[in-house]
Amino acid sequence: MNRIQRAVDALAGRIDTPAPIVLADVMQDNIDRMQRFATQQNLAVRPHVKTHKCVEIGRRQVKAGAVGITAGNVGEAEVFAAAGFDDIFIAYPLWPSGTKGKRIRSLAAGTRLRIGVDNVAAINALADAMGTEPEQLQVVIEVDCGARRSGAPPEAAGDLALAARKRGLVPAGVFTYPGHGSAGPEARKRAAEDQEAALTTAVRSLGSHGIRPEVVSAGSTPTVEFATSSVITEIRPGEYVFNDLNNARLGACTEDQIALFVAGTVVSDWVPGQVILDIGTKALGREGSPEIGYGRIAGTAAALSKLNEYHGFLPLPGGGFRPAVGAVLPVIPNHVCPVVVNFEEYVVTDSSGASLERWAVDARGHLN
Amino acid sequence: MNRIQRAVDALAGRIDTPAPIVLADVMQDNIDRMQRFATQQNLAVRPHVKTHKCVEIGRRQVKAGAVGITAGNVGEAEVFAAAGFDDIFIAYPLWPSGTKGKRIRSLAAGTRLRIGVDNVAAINALADAMGTEPEQLQVVIEVDCGARRSGAPPEAAGDLALAARKRGLVPAGVFTYPGHGSAGPEARKRAAEDQEAALTTAVRSLGSHGIRPEVVSAGSTPTVEFATSSVITEIRPGEYVFNDLNNARLGACTEDQIALFVAGTVVSDWVPGQVILDIGTKALGREGSPEIGYGRIAGTAAALSKLNEYHGFLPLPGGGFRPAVGAVLPVIPNHVCPVVVNFEEYVVTDSSGASLERWAVDARGHLN
């Protein structure tokens, strides 16, 4: 029996399903392995907390050697700042509408805060928001390396950094996200090369404006093993802490390195060759496709073929695997991030299933 | 200008994005219209709170005439019971693992509680959980009418009701969910006919076992307008309270009847013919497809073509619509239910945008 099913069996009767189960030993190995890699490559680790949104896990990452954390929005940053994290990079081109300007100013007063920018209008709006103390905010210029999402062209980095400096903000460096590295196993290395080329150009652009970057920041779990250049100073992986089927398919982790799964109960078995689990989109999100399914039962080839909100449809391939109503099964998600945000807390155990703790998903619902 | 964009403009500077905006006047019209229809057809309305998970909205539904509420799991039922709702149907074939048995027993002590069942093993497990007071729990037999999800064959309803009665539980009736009515506009009426046939058979099966159902309960927003038979006593629509693009495409609502949208801010515009909104899967879920998109900007033909976790990719069709960085845009979701669960609270206004209240998404995160 695989260790995930063993842990679930050991928890039986003590958990209400659906529940996200974390194997703390596997997670700690993931944290330590990433840190070792980064130390070998002389890179700082600044993990993206979007994946776990959990103060306890962030603390473990810092204890292992992370220099600070990456957040995806102001709300996440606020939750971690309130818990004592004092070095936070919001790797997102924020626009300070509503009360966000005030919130950013408050955050910057109590932490070393860095925020992404990719355009002059946002630089001016952020400077306005900082009032008389723009120097308390560091901005990091986002450049695009091929994801075609946010980010300025790399050769525009110098002009943007200069615009920030003119308004009194501190241009701390550049960052990019090689999102196109998730397209397939062969895309990872190419995206990492694109990332390096873009960051090299951006650093040169800064230099030609007389600006020396303090940080040159790169993604991401799928591409990180190729982030070994001398231009990069920092990596921002997020998903590595738990891993998932998507990363295993990309070759970015092994299935043994997956630390989170969702325990679900078989609730109905009337349709021949199918059972229904109490895991639907409200627990798993809708990450997947009819081809790859929407999550696989650990240690089997059985995958959810369809999700309703509270129902997961599990076709049973031929063979002996025919779980009865009441059986608790571990579902490994395709993409772990959209799972976590659905739950109030993790059920934390280890591969033996002996321990049981509950950790809050602290930054859940802090979406803006 | 459409009323949604007008409301967003009136809120400008007062909301942080992404934010789910509810037009309370449109929502109240939806509640009242459904109640009028049901009253005309002599049907009880028992709205499914999975859609809104909000005590304030549940109260408005009851005030309009709903007989009680429908919940999707024990956690939702607990939140509404704690708020004073005393007539709750968990329309789901629950398996009382972990602490759920105790939780169900507590709930049943304080409310009129009905729970779905579709198999004898669950009936026995529920009866065991109820201990010496099984008569406090009413069970409603779930039958399948074509969704091929949970639910026994309709002709098995009588045997299941008898098995429940033998264990001291109270068999209150039968229910079904015509989920296959969402397949397309032409599928709605056919699914409603399947629903009627299945419920008629199930009632006959009960009768042949000497059981007269107190409730014969039917879905659902897409099919409800065809639920006009004499066998059905109760309807359980959920999405009608807000509506969404999927229901508009099915012909189950008009776009003017959509009461919820997500306000997002343009944060980047470097890619020609595209802007990036601060609305990704963490706000919207991943409901949609490349063909229909992942949400449309109200009053325009522009639809999100791709979502990352915090980024929405908005291609700009030809013409004058070219929102600048900082512009706040209203996105109408394809499916409203997976949006709501991402947020802590609704921003509630009306079509004029003049009022502004915040209502908690109370049952969010109560997933088991």
Side-chain angles (χ1 to χ4, degrees), chain B residues 208-220:
Chain B
S208 72
H209 290 68
I211 296 171
R212 224 183 117 85
E214 195 181 322
V215 63
V216 180
S217 182
S220 67

Side-chain angles (χ1 to χ4, degrees), chain B residues 191-274:
Chain B
E193 289 163 0
D194 292 343
Q195 171 175 260
E196 169 150 5
L199 289 173
T200 302
T201 301
V203 168
R204 200 173 301 132
S205 171
L206 292 181
S208 72
H209 290 68
I211 296 171
R212 224 183 117 85
E214 195 181 322
V215 63
V216 180
S217 182
S220 67
T221 296
T223 58
V224 71
E225 71 179 272
F226 307 105
T228 55
S229 83
S230 57
V231 69
I232 297 169
T233 67
E234 170 184 288
I235 52 175
R236 305 184 316 277
E239 296 170 354
Y240 78 99
V241 69
F242 294 141
N243 288 315
D244 54 25
L245 286 181
N246 283 354
N247 278 295
R249 288 187 194 103
L250 289 172
C253 71
T254 67
E255 291 204 17
D256 282 348
Q257 293 166 351
I258 296 175
L260 184 145
F261 55 90
V262 181
T265 301
V266 176
V267 294
S268 184
D269 67 352
W270 277 103
V271 177
Q274 172 185 285

Side-chain angles (χ1 to χ4, degrees), chain A residues 36-350:
Chain A
R36 274 199 309 277
F37 164 79
T39 303
Q40 280 163 7
Q41 302 294 335
N42 201 26
L43 295 166
V45 184
R46 185 182 287 279
H48 205 313
V49 299
K50 64 162 188 161
T51 302
H52 58 72
K53 291 180 176 258
C54 171
V55 165
E56 173 63 31
I57 298 176
R59 288 197 179 123
R60 289 176 183 232
Q61 291 172 314
V62 169
K63 191 176 171 200
V67 295
I69 59 166
T70 304
N73 58 26
V74 179
E76 284 176 7
E78 287 170 334
V79 169
F80 281 82
F85 290 76
D86 59 4
D87 191 337
I88 301 176
F89 173 29
I90 305 178
Y92 195 85
L94 289 179
W95 182 266
S97 54
T99 68
K100 270 188 206 171
K102 268 188 223 165
R103 292 164 65 199
I104 290 168
R105 193 170 172 176
S106 296
L107 266 177
T111 61
R112 186 174 79 163
L113 182 66
R114 291 176 172 164
I115 288 183
V117 290
D118 83 355
N119 64 82
V120 174
I123 287 169
N124 287 327
L126 286 169
D128 291 345
M130 290 301 294
T132 56
E133 294 172 317
E135 73 284 356
Q136 289 202 340
L137 183 62
Q138 299 192 6
V139 295
V140 187
I141 311 301
E142 181 173 6
V143 298
D144 179 49
C145 67
R148 308 285 288 167
R149 193 172 76 172
S150 46
E155 48 284 353
D159 283 344
L160 289 167
L162 212 58
R165 180 174 279 179
K166 278 186 182 151
R167 289 299 311 268
L169 302 169
V170 179
V174 292
F175 80 106
T176 193
Y177 173 69
H180 55 315
S182 300
E186 72 301 326
R188 295 162 61 215
K189 188 158 186 289
R190 208 163 51 230
E193 289 164 359
D194 292 344
Q195 171 175 262
E196 168 151 5
L199 289 173
T200 302
T201 301
V203 168
R204 200 173 300 133
S205 172
L206 292 181
S208 72
H209 290 67
I211 295 171
R212 225 183 118 86
E214 193 180 324
V215 63
V216 180
S217 181
S220 67
T221 297
T223 59
V224 72
E225 71 178 271
F226 307 105
T228 56
S229 84
S230 57
V231 69
I232 297 169
T233 67
E234 170 184 286
I235 52 174
R236 305 185 315 279
E239 295 168 355
Y240 78 99
V241 69
F242 294 141
N243 288 315
D244 54 25
L245 285 182
N246 283 352
N247 278 295
R249 287 187 195 105
L250 288 172
C253 70
T254 66
E255 291 204 18
D256 281 349
Q257 293 166 350
I258 296 175
L260 184 145
F261 55 90
V262 181
T265 301
V266 176
V267 294
S268 184
D269 67 352
W270 277 102
V271 177
Q274 171 186 288
V275 295
I276 297 292
L277 295 189
D278 61 357
I279 297 183
T281 57
K282 281 197 153 79
L284 271 185
R286 194 182 289 289
E287 305 277 326
S289 67
E291 291 71 39
I292 64 169
Y294 296 89
R296 206 175 69 218
I297 309 300
T300 80
L304 296 168
S305 62
K306 183 179 165 181
L307 300 176
N308 287 172
E309 286 175 60
Y310 298 90
H311 299 73
F313 294 64
L314 183 66
L316 295 171
F321 182 56
R322 172 85 198 172
V325 168
V328 178
L329 302 180
V331 175
I332 308 181
N334 286 319
H335 183 192
V336 70
C337 302
V339 174
V340 167
V341 293
N342 299 317
F343 292 94
E344 297 286 352
E345 59 183 19
Y346 298 103
V347 174
V348 183
T349 184
D350 55 41

